[in-house]
Amino acid sequence: MKRTLIFALPLVLTVALFALFASQINRDPDLLPSALMNKPAPEFTLDPVEGHDQPGFSSADLKGQLSLVNVWASWCVPCREEHEFLMRLAERGDVKIFGINYNDQPENARDFLRKLGNPFDAVGADRNRRVSLEWGVYGVPESYLVNKDGVIVYKHTGPMSEDSFQNQVLPAIAKALEAQEAS
């Protein structure tokens, strides 16, 4: 009996670990928890992308209006895929969009914005990834909705798709705008 248990235990543990990993493989990336949800955005100041004609920005710039902070990089393929949704959001005009350029070469960031369009009101360069780390960024792209008081009210992990843009991002913006008008 003991001998059977000794041989069965590793098999049972292996099956249990496999089941755990398999259950997480299709996990929705938006379900990644953010320790900053419903808390003030971190204090920071970012210089502009070198050679780009837009200013950098700081946490103070996020106060007073609804803002979307998008963490992106020119080398990030999903960032290119979601860029059209940021452009559409910029056309609406009801949310200021700030970009954190993550660990990128300035010439590549400038070229990205020149070719694909620039939805950002300001773009800060986070070449050393310090500010992104403070925001709790898991990887690019990620977007954070910040209310007029500078509090993070929504986080979108991964690239926006048509579905997530329509069914998650726009409703989060509408909810934040309603709360802003009510206060």
Side-chain angles (χ1 to χ4, degrees), residues 1-24:
M1 179 74 165
K2 258 186 176 179
R3 188 175 177 155
T4 306
L5 188 60
I6 289 173
F7 288 114
L9 188 59
L11 179 62
V12 169
L13 288 173
T14 301
V15 169
L17 282 173
F18 179 76
L20 175 66
F21 292 137
S23 71
Q24 298 299 311

Side-chain angles (χ1 to χ4, degrees), residues 101-130:
N101 182 237
Y102 178 86
N103 193 31
D104 211 347
Q105 296 298 316
E107 60 275 8
N108 295 341
R110 290 189 309 265
D111 193 47
F112 179 97
L113 295 173
R114 185 181 51 77
K115 287 181 179 174
L116 299 178
N118 187 353
F120 303 114
D121 292 283
V123 180
D126 190 16
R127 303 250 342 247
N128 63 7
R129 301 180 304 266
R130 182 190 57 79

Side-chain angles (χ1 to χ4, degrees), residues 44-50 52 54-58 70 72 98-103 120 122-127:
F44 69 94
T45 299
L46 285 172
D47 291 329
V49 171
E50 186 181 314
H52 189 56
Q54 273 186 306
F57 68 102
S58 71
N70 177 258
W72 64 281
F98 294 88
I100 296 178
N101 182 237
Y102 178 86
N103 193 31
F120 303 114
V123 180
D126 190 16
R127 303 250 342 247

Side-chain angles (χ1 to χ4, degrees), residues 15-171:
V15 169
L17 282 173
F18 179 76
L20 175 66
F21 292 137
S23 71
Q24 298 299 311
I25 202 158
N26 289 322
R27 185 174 181 195
D28 184 350
D30 286 332
L31 298 178
L32 290 173
S34 174
L36 297 177
M37 193 60 61
N38 298 315
K39 294 183 180 167
E43 294 290 322
F44 69 94
T45 299
L46 285 172
D47 291 329
V49 171
E50 186 181 314
H52 189 56
D53 58 356
Q54 273 186 306
F57 68 102
S58 71
S59 50
D61 295 312
L62 302 178
K63 294 181 180 172
Q65 76 282 320
L66 187 60
S67 303
L68 183 83
V69 177
N70 177 258
V71 185
W72 64 281
S74 65
W75 46 262
C76 165
V77 173
C79 296
R80 290 179 182 275
E81 294 170 6
E82 87 165 353
H83 200 76
E84 74 174 275
F85 300 106
L86 296 174
M87 295 297 291
R88 286 170 45 191
L89 189 57
E91 288 173 9
R92 290 169 42 115
D94 54 356
V95 178
K96 284 188 92 165
I97 305 174
F98 294 88
I100 296 178
N101 182 237
Y102 178 86
N103 193 31
D104 211 347
Q105 296 298 316
E107 60 275 8
N108 295 341
R110 290 189 309 265
D111 193 47
F112 179 97
L113 295 173
R114 185 181 51 77
K115 287 181 179 174
L116 299 178
N118 187 353
F120 303 114
D121 292 283
V123 180
D126 190 16
R127 303 250 342 247
N128 63 7
R129 301 180 304 266
R130 182 190 57 79
V131 171
S132 299
L133 184 62
E134 290 174 8
W135 279 79
V137 171
Y138 288 96
V140 289
E142 285 189 18
S143 296
Y144 299 81
L145 194 60
V146 180
N147 71 13
K148 67 181 177 79
D149 299 319
V151 173
I152 298 170
V153 296
Y154 173 76
K155 175 185 177 186
H156 184 84
T157 303
M160 289 180 212
S161 64
E162 183 65 38
D163 181 62
S164 65
F165 184 68
Q166 294 295 331
N167 297 315
Q168 296 170 10
V169 176
L170 292 181

